[in-house]
Amino acid sequence: MWKAKVNYNVDRLKICYKQPQELWDYLSTFNKEDKILYDSFSLLITDNGKSEGSEKESVKIKANVIADDGVLLGEFVFNNSAKYEGKCFFEFENKALYTPLSYYMGEKYNYVCCIDYVASILNLEINNITLIEISADINHNPLPRINKLLTHHEDYDFIYNGKVVEDYTKILEGVGEFYGRSRVKKNRYPTLYLSQKKDDAPSIKIYDKRAEIEDNSKQYISEWNNNLNGTMYRIEVSVKNEDIKKFLSLVQEYKEDYGTLELFLTHLGSQEYKHLLWQWICDRIAYFRAKSGDREVITLHELATKS
């Protein structure tokens, strides 16, 4: 009998920092393609925000962060505008999130653990986690079971955004399926979307990750998930700043330092921590409950981890 396997991964991560004016003043002295060397990393100016022939002052500077071993960590966007005064943003390069840097006590660490050092050298102070996408990568397809639970309304309740769906015929806002297709046929299974009403609210996406990897030359994800051979489906949650704040306030009751913003990036190296955030979002958006017997609750976590 096959055994369900799951890896919790960060697929996207954007961070907001408080940016000192001195740093902006220093960076604005450099031109496009200039490289600024630091201990263990460098900044490559990709856009100094200046148009040729224009005398307008720059309000945005973009720079890639490159580790000494050549790995592109991601991109900083430094600002000097009224909208983002005193703030800059860093977003990780996707490949850096799937590139092993070290191993410790059974955990595999990627390049996320480097950004705290970079921030300290640049005198940046973390302001918030603007966006994070965390996935449960699994070795089986959960969509047929989810579809069965959705359609068998006589046997199972569907609790969506905290409320039992009472009207089985009503189109559910925020629930949708997308089928990829060619000219001659469509995919056998869709991508399933589950979301809340607000624009900045969390969302869930469930889809065939293996197909996307092959279509977009992202074999490094397969190499990172080297214990998932063959089939790879992904249950992915997307979370923004305000909901991350709520998570931090709640998770500190479980373990105090888990609720510390300054340690958030450090804890992302832990499978447990990623799982806690992932499941908190999933359970808020959608789960099922049997209508008879022991009224068993069936969560997306169970659908991901049970054979």
Side-chain angles (χ1 to χ4, degrees):
M1 180 179 177
W2 67 274
K3 182 180 179 181
K5 296 179 182 178
V6 58
N7 296 333
Y8 296 99
N9 293 313
V10 177
D11 191 67
R12 190 178 177 192
L13 180 56
K14 186 175 182 180
I15 310 159
C16 175
Y17 290 98
K18 297 176 184 176
Q19 167 195 291
Q21 184 62 39
E22 295 81 5
L23 177 61
W24 172 267
D25 294 341
Y26 176 64
L27 294 175
S28 62
T29 64
F30 291 90
N31 296 314
K32 184 178 179 180
E33 304 301 333
D34 282 349
K35 181 178 280 191
I36 310 168
L37 301 179
Y38 294 91
D39 184 20
S40 300
F41 73 96
S42 60
L43 288 181
L44 175 65
I45 305 298
T46 58
D47 185 353
N48 64 359
K50 298 174 183 176
S51 300
E52 189 174 346
S54 174
E55 296 183 359
K56 287 185 178 180
E57 289 190 9
S58 172
V59 294
K60 183 183 294 184
I61 296 172
K62 296 181 179 180
N64 286 342
V65 181
I66 304 169
D68 271 1
D69 59 6
V71 172
L72 173 61
L73 299 188
E75 181 186 64
F76 268 115
V77 178
F78 301 98
N79 296 287
N80 194 36
S81 63
K83 183 177 181 179
Y84 296 119
E85 184 178 4
K87 301 289 191 304
C88 66
F89 297 89
F90 178 81
E91 183 161 355
F92 275 93
E93 177 73 12
N94 186 254
K95 189 174 183 178
L97 298 172
Y98 296 96
T99 301
L101 177 65
S102 62
Y103 299 82
Y104 179 69
M105 296 184 67
E107 299 278 11
K108 180 164 54 177
Y109 291 84
N110 57 21
Y111 279 76
V112 170
C113 57
C114 296
I115 197 61
D116 280 340
Y117 170 74
V118 172
S120 69
I121 295 298
L122 299 179
N123 292 317
L124 300 173
E125 180 184 344
I126 192 166
N127 184 60
N128 65 55
I129 304 299
T130 306
L131 171 67
I132 186 169
E133 291 179 358
I134 293 184
S135 66
D137 289 341
I138 57 180
N139 64 338
H140 61 98
N141 180 1
L143 288 169
R145 294 172 70 185
I146 292 172
N147 186 61
K148 178 181 177 181
L149 292 165
L150 276 170
T151 56
H152 287 212
H153 55 78
E154 66 278 6
D155 298 319
Y156 300 98
D157 283 326
F158 178 42
I159 295 83
Y160 180 54
N161 291 327
K163 296 180 180 180
V164 177
V165 176
E166 302 284 3
D167 186 349
Y168 308 136
T169 62
K170 183 180 179 181
I171 298 297
L172 298 172
E173 185 177 352
V175 178
E177 294 178 334
F178 175 81
Y179 284 86
R181 67 165 303 131
S182 68
R183 291 286 300 276
V184 295
K185 67 177 182 178
K186 69 177 181 180
N187 290 345
R188 182 177 180 185
Y189 294 107
T191 296
L192 176 63
Y193 296 90
L194 302 161
S195 63
Q196 297 182 328
K197 291 182 179 180
K198 295 188 299 181
D199 289 341
D200 288 339
S203 62
I204 300 172
K205 179 182 176 183
I206 306 172
Y207 61 105
D208 183 352
K209 188 63 180 177
R210 181 75 63 190
E212 185 192 78
I213 289 170
E214 293 171 355
D215 289 344
N216 294 283
S217 301
K218 292 185 176 181
Q219 292 302 325
Y220 54 84
I221 297 178
S222 297
E223 292 167 7
W224 175 268
N225 285 323
N226 56 13
N227 64 327
L228 303 180
N229 297 317
T231 301
M232 187 193 303
Y233 272 75
R234 171 167 284 190
I235 305 175
E236 181 178 274
V237 301
S238 179
V239 198
K240 294 186 178 179
N241 174 31
E242 291 303 318
D243 285 286
I244 293 170
K245 289 179 182 178
K246 293 175 185 176
F247 169 76
L248 292 174
S249 67
L250 291 171
V251 77
Q252 66 181 355
E253 298 176 10
Y254 170 70
K255 190 178 288 188
E256 188 172 354
D257 68 348
Y258 272 12
T260 305
L261 174 62
E262 289 73 17
L263 295 175
F264 182 86
L265 299 174
T266 300
H267 290 316
L268 281 182
S270 160
Q271 284 286 303
E272 178 189 51
Y273 196 74
K274 291 190 284 272
H275 170 216
L276 287 171
L277 176 52
W278 177 88
Q279 186 166 358
W280 180 66
I281 293 299
C282 285
D283 290 350
R284 278 181 57 190
I285 295 178
Y287 62 92
F288 303 91
R289 184 176 57 214
K291 289 187 173 183
S292 60
D294 59 2
R295 305 270 290 168
E296 177 191 9
V297 172
I298 305 167
T299 65
L300 291 178
H301 173 252
E302 290 183 75
L303 293 169
T305 58
K306 286 189 176 180
S307 302

